[in-house]
Amino acid sequence: MTLLATAATAGAKVELGPAIGDNMVLQQNSSARIYGKAAPGSDISVTPSWNSITYKAKAGADGRWMLEVATPTGGFTPWEIVISDGDPLTLQNVLVGEVWLASGQSNMEMPLKGFPGCNVLDGYDEIAAADAKAGKIRFFTVPLTQSYEPLDTVDARWEEPSAETAPDFSATAWYFANRLADVLQVPVGIVSDAYGGAKVESWTPRDILEQYADVSLKPEDVEQMVHYYRPMLMYNAMFNPMKNYTYRGIIWYQGCSNTSTYDTYAERLANMVGRWRSEIALGDIPFYSVEIAPYQYDNPVEQGRSAFLREAQHKAMDMIPNSGIICINDLVEPFERYNIHPGKKSGVGKRLADLALNKTYGRTQFLAESPRYKSHRFEDGAAWVTIDSPSNGICRNYDIRGFEVAGSDKVFHAADSVYFKWQTNEFRVSSKEVAEPVALRYCFRDFLPGTLYGGNYLPLIPFRTDNWTEPTD
């Protein structure tokens, strides 16, 4: 493995930290961090071509150095940066724009070319057109790695989009980056840092995990686990080396591997985000998450529990400052019931981008809030539920599927009558199988896509009115 990315200039002694190199994107209008290693005590100078100011630092006793450079407003002009400890090296084709960290598990990792047996819808159309985006989008993809001790380095480099490189780019992050670049008219850099199947504990450091009674960090216990379930190892090998780069925010798609432990997920995700933000050291940068998609689990310890995990994902957002979550209940096809990697990644990336555009960049014309449950009552053999829909109201009043009602026996039946009272955003929901309903649910199953939308086809967030804990699938 490459220990530190070293510029190709012959004779240069300065070694550059992860993500510092040719083709990188630096965060605009920021104090962007440049860092690496050199001979202990050596003087380091960094001079970017956009302002010709020389910034200086001194390497510590361990050879590490870091400094901050003032970046301009983003644009598509490629710049150079000269870094020297006496032997200069020049970084080329550097862009200034918006930089986001994209992390989580396989649905964030899933590349435009798809996985074996799992396609990305229109992924190869994006690959075919990728060369045209070389001046707008860059990807730094962290390889899948594990370590018991925190690492400082990764074996990766910034890539420009092309028909050769784009097949391996995260599809979700690709669509996210394209939409941001088109609207903001600045380059977008993505640090893609995801590991298929990883649990939230996989991305959490040792000192936090030691507080969790159900987590063992003994090597003999960790080694017995399926590799993607292992706690701490992805944090050490994949997050720790990337924490010093300067980001605008984080997008996160993870949760499938925590369905059986949904009751601890919200707190543990909040703990992870708190630590990540502390170590990135840029304050409470945005953290935007993806609700896991419908999927029919068949493992007895997971079956029927993913609805509770989705509920926990939303609870986590209430615990995490400056956060948000998108619902993707509708972005699956019926034939994907047993496919945990649904192919409509365009919708996922674009909804994440709209969330960022609305909340981070103030572009409120991009709708970002799904309809959600507000209140309910039971009356004359039916459930009446009020929906809060901040994005242009309710945009469907026919063929509404996804509602279920239950009586005191706690057995849920699909609604056979759904009436929309548009004046109050209320729905009257009933089933001939339930004479006296006491509970109402919407899409609260492992696999139950609904058909109710607000503005811009943002789906109603799954919900329940009960507090029962029994799985329904």
Side-chain angles (χ1 to χ4, degrees), residues 399-416:
D399 188 27
I400 297 171
R401 288 170 275 134
F403 282 111
E404 296 181 296
V405 292
S408 58
D409 60 358
K410 299 184 179 181
V411 177
F412 282 89
H413 298 269
D416 51 36

Side-chain angles (χ1 to χ4, degrees), residues 294-307:
Y295 170 72
Q296 190 65 58
Y297 289 84
D298 55 8
N299 185 327
V301 301
E302 297 176 318
Q303 192 171 31
R305 291 172 172 82
S306 65

Side-chain angles (χ1 to χ4, degrees), residues 355-376:
L355 186 60
L357 288 167
N358 185 301
K359 297 188 65 173
T360 298
Y361 300 105
R363 303 298 185 92
T364 55
Q365 69 269 36
F366 292 92
L367 304 180
E369 296 291 335
S370 274
R372 62 184 64 235
Y373 162 84
K374 184 177 182 180
S375 63
H376 74 280

Side-chain angles (χ1 to χ4, degrees), residues 148 201-202 204 206 209 217 230-236:
Y148 283 96
E201 292 86 356
S202 306
T204 303
R206 177 182 293 275
L209 294 174
L217 298 177
R230 292 170 180 164
M232 183 182 70
L233 304 192
M234 292 69 153
Y235 166 87
N236 284 340

Side-chain angles (χ1 to χ4, degrees), residues 327-353:
C327 177
I328 60 167
N329 170 266
D330 59 321
L331 296 182
V332 293
E333 297 288 351
F335 64 81
E336 293 178 316
R337 175 181 289 269
Y338 298 102
N339 181 357
I340 205 165
H341 303 121
K344 293 182 178 179
K345 291 297 185 281
S346 172
V348 182
K350 290 176 180 178
R351 285 180 187 173
L352 278 170

Side-chain angles (χ1 to χ4, degrees), residues 249-465:
I250 303 166
I251 54 174
W252 175 261
Y253 191 168
Q254 186 275 335
C256 301
S257 293
N258 280 91
T259 54
S260 63
T261 55
Y262 65 85
D263 53 332
T264 62
Y265 184 80
E267 180 181 8
R268 293 186 180 185
L269 181 62
N271 290 342
M272 185 210 81
V273 174
R275 176 55 62 85
W276 279 29
R277 284 172 167 172
S278 174
E279 297 193 2
I280 291 173
L282 294 170
D284 287 342
I285 60 175
F287 180 85
Y288 297 140
S289 181
V290 181
E291 180 189 288
I292 61 171
Y295 170 72
Q296 190 65 58
Y297 289 84
D298 55 8
N299 185 327
V301 301
E302 297 176 318
Q303 192 171 31
R305 291 172 172 82
S306 65
F308 296 94
L309 188 281
R310 295 184 194 100
E311 188 176 62
Q313 289 183 298
H314 287 269
K315 289 179 180 178
M317 297 305 103
D318 293 334
M319 301 166 66
I320 299 170
N322 197 19
S323 67
I325 186 169
I326 62 165
C327 177
I328 60 167
N329 170 266
D330 59 321
L331 296 182
V332 293
E333 297 288 351
F335 64 81
E336 293 178 316
R337 175 181 289 269
Y338 298 102
N339 181 357
I340 205 165
H341 303 121
K344 293 182 178 179
K345 291 297 185 281
S346 172
V348 182
K350 290 176 180 178
R351 285 180 187 173
L352 278 170
D354 286 351
L355 186 60
L357 288 167
N358 185 301
K359 297 188 65 173
T360 298
Y361 300 105
R363 303 298 185 92
T364 55
Q365 69 269 36
F366 292 92
L367 304 180
E369 296 291 335
S370 274
R372 62 184 64 235
Y373 162 84
K374 184 177 182 180
S375 63
H376 74 280
R377 70 183 190 276
F378 297 106
E379 185 178 280
D380 297 331
W384 284 85
V385 58
T386 303
I387 301 300
D388 181 16
S389 186
S391 296
N392 287 355
I394 300 298
C395 300
R396 192 181 188 110
N397 58 14
Y398 179 74
D399 188 27
I400 297 171
R401 288 170 275 134
F403 282 111
E404 296 181 296
V405 292
S408 58
D409 60 358
K410 299 184 179 181
V411 177
F412 282 89
H413 298 269
D416 51 36
S417 175
V418 181
Y419 165 74
F420 178 45
K421 187 177 181 180
W422 64 267
Q423 296 92 335
T424 57
N425 269 1
E426 283 186 299
F427 288 86
R428 184 187 185 278
V429 182
S430 64
S431 169
K432 295 176 183 177
E433 303 294 325
V434 183
E436 294 294 333
V438 300
L440 172 71
R441 291 182 174 184
Y442 179 78
C443 297
F444 204 83
R445 289 183 180 269
D446 283 346
F447 190 91
L448 183 55
T451 60
L452 190 56
Y453 294 91
N456 200 25
Y457 284 94
L458 295 175
L460 175 62
I461 295 169
F463 69 87
R464 59 175 175 152
T465 65

Side-chain angles (χ1 to χ4, degrees), residues 191-202:
V191 174
S192 182
D193 200 356
Y195 195 114
K199 304 181 79 170
V200 68
E201 292 86 356
S202 306

Side-chain angles (χ1 to χ4, degrees), residues 5 16-25 91-94 158:
L16 304 179
I20 305 298
D22 294 341
N23 305 318
M24 68 179 174
V25 180
L91 304 184
Q92 298 179 333
N93 200 24
V94 174
W158 285 96

